[in-house]
């Protein structure tokens, strides 16, 4: 507290990580308390009675409703997700986009890995919640975790088709019998 020239005391202010819990009056100074979990206050020398919500700090893939911080945090970077959205994996209070060839179809989760696209399916983009199927007769994928489907081949001269192109296997060709 400071005393001004008229003998009255000047009201204090709250600092970072704090909020006003009671106002300054003629008989009492301002009282400040820590911001609660899930909030922060980055302003110094303030009289605000509230803290800022961590939910406003959610980045791509982070569940805004699960953004948390410990008591008394004073920076937006202190807000961390406790859950991730579809297309992302969760590790160490962070959400990471699933790479191409992988997906995550769970929402608001804490799963530490993405699922791989199986044979017959592919995913060409990151942060996706599902893989797309190859088209039987025109494209296939015979490997797991792939970004795209392969184009079905055709049989060359002197060859005949012995099996059709499926979503998981290319066309098979054999020699034509003489005659």
């Amino acid at each position: 507290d400071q005393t001004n020239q008229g003998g009255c005391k000047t009201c204090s202010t709250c600092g970072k990580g704090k909020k006003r819990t009671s106002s300054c009056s003629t008989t009492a100074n301002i009282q400040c308390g820590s911001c609660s979990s899930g909030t922060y206050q980055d302003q110094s020398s303030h009289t605000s009675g509230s803290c800022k919500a961590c939910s406003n700090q959610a980045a791509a893939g982070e569940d805004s409703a699960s953004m948390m911080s410990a008591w008394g945090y004073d920076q937006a970077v202190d807000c961390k997700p406790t859950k991730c959205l579809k297309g992302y994996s969760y590790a160490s209070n962070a959400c990471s986009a699933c790479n191409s060839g992988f997906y995550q179809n769970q929402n608001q989760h804490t799963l530490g890995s993405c699922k791989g696209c199986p044979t017959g399916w592919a995913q060409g983009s990151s942060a996706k919640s599902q893989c797309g199927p190859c088209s039987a007769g025109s494209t296939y994928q015979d490997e797991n975790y792939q970004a795209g489907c392969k184009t079905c081949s055709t049989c060359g001269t002197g060859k005949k088709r012995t099996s059709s192109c499926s979503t998981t296997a290319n066309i098979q060709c054999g020699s034509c019998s003489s005659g």
Side-chain angles (χ1 to χ4, degrees):
D1 296 344
Q2 295 180 347
T3 304
N4 66 22
Q5 292 177 347
C8 295
K9 293 185 176 184
T10 302
C11 293
S12 299
T13 58
C14 298
K16 290 184 175 187
K18 306 277 185 186
K19 67 178 179 178
R20 175 183 39 80
T21 56
S22 66
S23 298
C24 185
S25 70
T26 56
T27 59
N29 200 357
I30 189 172
Q31 296 294 309
C32 303
S34 294
C35 291
S36 61
S37 179
T39 64
Y40 70 98
Q41 179 54 264
D42 56 359
Q43 300 295 311
S44 58
S45 189
H46 69 90
T47 58
S48 175
S50 63
C51 295
K52 299 174 184 178
C54 281
S55 60
N56 298 330
Q57 301 301 318
E62 297 175 347
D63 179 25
S64 62
S66 78
M67 296 296 288
M68 295 302 284
S69 67
W71 283 80
Y73 271 74
D74 61 9
Q75 299 177 63
V77 296
D78 293 323
C79 297
K80 305 289 182 196
T82 59
K83 294 181 181 176
C84 296
L85 302 177
K86 292 179 180 181
Y88 292 79
S89 64
Y90 180 83
S92 302
N93 292 324
C95 298
S96 300
C98 296
N99 293 326
S100 58
F102 294 84
Y103 70 101
Q104 181 50 260
N105 59 355
Q106 298 296 313
N107 199 28
Q108 298 177 319
H109 68 88
T110 56
L111 301 171
S113 63
C114 297
K115 302 171 186 178
C117 297
T119 58
W121 297 75
Q123 177 50 262
S125 302
S126 62
K128 295 297 178 182
S129 62
Q130 63 186 13
C131 298
C134 298
S135 300
S138 60
T139 62
Y140 72 99
Q141 185 47 262
D142 56 356
E143 299 177 77
N144 291 316
Y145 324 127
Q146 298 302 306
C149 297
K150 302 173 186 175
T151 302
C152 295
S153 302
T154 56
C155 294
T157 306
K159 302 280 184 179
K160 66 178 183 178
R161 185 179 68 206
T162 58
S163 68
S164 297
C165 184
S166 70
T167 59
T168 59
N170 198 3
I171 190 172
Q172 298 294 309
C173 301
S175 298
C176 294
S177 51
S178 56

